[in-house]
């Protein structure tokens, strides 16, 4: 049995994962990320023990503990170098967690890498190059090559959301301009929807947003499905941003499987079909096996499962 | 000893390469690319034998033959799937070459991958993630991960020149819009120079181009060095295109070493220093080991050496 921890800015989610990549028990608690580092780790440790025991196991049954963390992770040294969402700087997470678990190996991974490894372990087994893209608050990504998480030489590779899609474009939270994330994240979709609502105040989309007093990643998609042309334009442009970045990933990695996750991925084929069309039209070498594109299957559990299995 | 062949649209360059990655003899002949496939391969074979014998060796001393080819290469099946520069379609190059060399293993690689492997073998040894970018007629690239050429699942990965840099930008020869290559190749620099000359007909750059009756990749660089502000603007913008794409490669691969080759790389530090500055300013995680950026060392020999060593 393995413990997988998905450490987020809001919640700590812990799962007990078996050899078949299944979660047999899980629980969560608030991160309260402003607290001292040691307190947060203490809660991670006690929740891990609680989850293990809740399924009838004991700590001695654990073969490893994996933690998926936001931000830049020094996998080799077991440190979180820097995170936006949890105000840690060179936090020695592996060592601190190890204090509670003796000889049980602890592995820490970037959360997008952990989620990618989870998806790989469940949907991508046998793939020699596997990529996940997560369309969420940002655009996360993870790459698994020959069954190993690809981390680059310093552990922080596969930040494909920070590839430039629009040279000299919108300023990103990373400090650079024009990152794919600035156009293809849910945050970007909400911005694009909000701008379109200003330009089309009488559209279905505008009325729905006013009624709910809220704009979400679903606002434009729902209105487009109800026949709103202004919303359809938002959706079409948004999907083109997503698809163009995915085309770049294909030209760069030629993965056998590329899986799209995150909130927007719940749109399913409504999102996937136009991406496939864009890719088919823009592939420069059509006369060879092509990357398979799919919607992620694990959704929120990918982080827990991937973190757990990364400790194998 | 190994034979390395750099098969280009114009010339076939053949080198005899020893275990120390050194070319001990080389020669070339015209490709005359419109000829029948078998004739071109026959010339490649006879030139390989001639070069081997010119250095006092015989074919029985050869441990392998590697061929770097333009276009999409099916490394596993030994075929050139498709090439723009040589009008071949599913050409069984490995089998045809094999007819002349009995049991000696023949390997075929994409030319950019072969050049990357050559640079890696000479400058990048020990690197666990190594990338080359070649600023030429197009923008070539190659990636070596854990000492192996990275090819993706279908053999045609690492076409990073066809990552989008400008969403919905200039139409590329690959059929997609806004590829990095459309902004960072020598072809692009010549177009950018030509446009600037139209807007600044009295600039030093315009006068130099008129005198030489020719615009090259050097026109703007030379005029900028001579103090021409219009040329400086061309060079600054061009280097920003190059640097922005390199920043995306770093965020994606985090290579320990990234090497820049091709004609423009002869500008040396004049090119490299502003790229380093852009990367230093735009790196999101400054508090960790950073990618080393360097100018390629092998220049034209990279293709021969890399092709030869790929047959090891």
């Amino acid at each position: 049995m393995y413990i997988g921890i998905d450490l987020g800015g809001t919640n700590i989610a812990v799962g007990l994962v078996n050899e078949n990549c299944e979660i047999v028990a899980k629980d969560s608690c608030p991160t309260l990320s402003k607290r001292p580092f040691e307190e947060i780790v203490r809660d991670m440790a006690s929740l891990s023990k609680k989850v293990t025991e809740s399924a009838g196991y004991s700590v001695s049954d654990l073969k490893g503990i994996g933690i998926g963390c936001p931000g830049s992770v020094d996998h080799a040294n077991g440190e979180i170098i820097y995170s936006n969402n949890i105000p840690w700087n060179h936090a020695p997470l592996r060592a601190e967690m190890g204090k509670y678990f003796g000889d049980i190996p602890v592995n820490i991974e970037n959360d997008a890498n952990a989620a990618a490894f989870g998806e790989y372990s469940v949907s991508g087994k046998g793939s020699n190059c596997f990529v996940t893209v997560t369309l969420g608050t940002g655009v996360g990504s993870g790459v698994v090559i020959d069954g190993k998480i690809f981390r680059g030489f310093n552990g922080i590779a596969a930040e494909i959301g920070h590839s430039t899609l629009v040279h000299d474009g919108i300023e990103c939270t990373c400090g650079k301009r024009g990152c794919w994330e600035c156009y293809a994240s849910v945050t970007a979709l909400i911005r694009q929807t909000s701008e379109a609502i200003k330009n089309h105040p009488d559209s279905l989309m505008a009325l729905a947003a006013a009624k709910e007093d809220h704009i979400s990643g679903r606002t434009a998609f729902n209105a487009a499905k109800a026949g709103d042309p202004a919303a359809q334009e938002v959706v079409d442009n948004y999907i083109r941003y997503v698809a163009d970045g995915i085309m770049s990933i294909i030209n760069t990695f030629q993965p056998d499987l590329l899986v799209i996750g995150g909130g927007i991925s719940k749109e399913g084929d409504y999102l996937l079909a136009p991406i496939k069309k864009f890719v088919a039209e823009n592939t420069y070498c059509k006369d060879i096996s092509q990357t398979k594109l799919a919607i992620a299957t694990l959704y929120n559990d990918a982080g827990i499962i991937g973190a757990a299995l990364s400790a194998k």
Side-chain angles (χ1 to χ4, degrees), chain A:
Chain A
M1 306 301 282
Y2 298 86
I3 281 287
I5 304 178
D6 187 0
L7 173 61
T10 311
N11 283 303
I12 299 165
V14 174
L16 184 69
V17 176
N18 67 18
E19 296 280 350
N20 296 327
C21 311
E22 293 156 346
I23 297 180
V24 297
K26 71 176 171 178
D27 201 352
S28 68
C29 68
T31 309
L32 306 172
S33 66
K34 302 266 162 37
R35 291 187 292 164
F37 166 67
E38 292 78 6
E39 271 186 36
I40 295 176
V41 179
R42 192 192 58 207
D43 283 1
M44 290 164 66
S46 59
L47 190 58
S48 298
K49 288 182 184 175
K50 187 180 152 201
V51 166
T52 304
E53 287 160 9
S54 76
Y57 294 90
S58 76
V59 167
S60 62
D61 294 314
L62 296 177
K63 291 187 191 160
I65 296 166
I67 309 171
C69 320
S72 301
V73 170
D74 186 338
H75 164 80
N77 291 317
E79 273 187 4
I80 298 192
I81 301 163
Y82 172 77
S83 169
N84 257 326
N85 298 332
I86 306 178
W88 289 352
N89 214 312
H90 287 280
L93 180 55
R94 188 172 65 198
E96 186 67 22
M97 191 71 175
K99 289 181 186 170
Y100 298 91
F101 292 95
D103 291 340
I104 301 169
V106 177
N107 182 48
I108 69 171
E109 288 292 342
N110 167 271
D111 50 5
N113 285 354
F117 196 62
E119 288 289 347
Y120 165 80
S121 302
V122 172
S123 320
K125 217 67 183 180
S127 155
N128 77 29
C129 182
F130 176 86
V131 176
T132 57
V133 167
T134 307
L135 307 172
T137 310
V139 172
S141 56
V143 178
V144 179
I145 297 175
D146 291 336
K148 290 192 305 183
I149 295 172
F150 176 70
R151 304 184 184 93
F153 93 105
N154 56 8
I156 61 166
E159 287 283 356
I160 309 176
H162 296 289
S163 289
T164 297
L165 185 77
V166 179
H167 181 69
D168 276 337
I170 294 171
E171 191 169 341
C172 183
T173 53
C174 80
K176 190 166 74 66
R177 286 192 171 275
C179 294
W180 185 31
E181 165 165 318
C182 299
Y183 300 87
S185 63
V186 179
T187 313
L189 173 58
I190 291 171
R191 187 192 71 238
Q192 292 153 10
T193 304
S194 166
E195 285 164 6
I197 284 174
K198 273 183 212 142
N199 294 330
H200 302 278
D202 300 325
S203 63
L204 264 182
M205 172 175 61
L207 301 177
K211 196 173 159 196
E212 292 175 17
D213 197 20
H214 176 66
I215 297 171
S216 76
R218 281 182 300 276
T219 308
F221 274 93
N222 288 345
K225 286 173 192 167
D228 178 358
Q232 190 66 56
E233 196 182 337
V234 171
V235 168
D236 290 348
N237 286 335
Y238 172 75
I239 292 179
R240 274 182 63 86
Y241 287 129
V242 174
D244 201 5
I246 283 176
M247 191 70 245
S248 293
I249 293 176
I250 292 174
N251 284 337
T252 299
F253 285 102
Q254 294 289 345
D256 36 12
L257 181 57
L258 188 154
V259 151
I260 303 167
I264 302 280
S265 72
K266 291 187 172 172
E267 297 293 338
D269 219 44
Y270 194 80
L271 172 75
L272 193 59
I275 294 175
K276 284 182 173 171
K277 184 164 178 279
F278 182 95
V279 168
E281 286 168 0
N282 286 281
T283 294
Y284 70 93
C285 185
K286 296 178 166 56
D287 198 12
I288 195 169
S289 304
Q290 302 291 321
T291 298
K292 189 182 163 201
L293 297 168
I295 296 291
T297 52
L298 294 177
Y299 198 54
N300 282 329
D301 289 340
I304 289 176
I305 294 173
L309 299 175
S310 79
K312 263 199 176 181

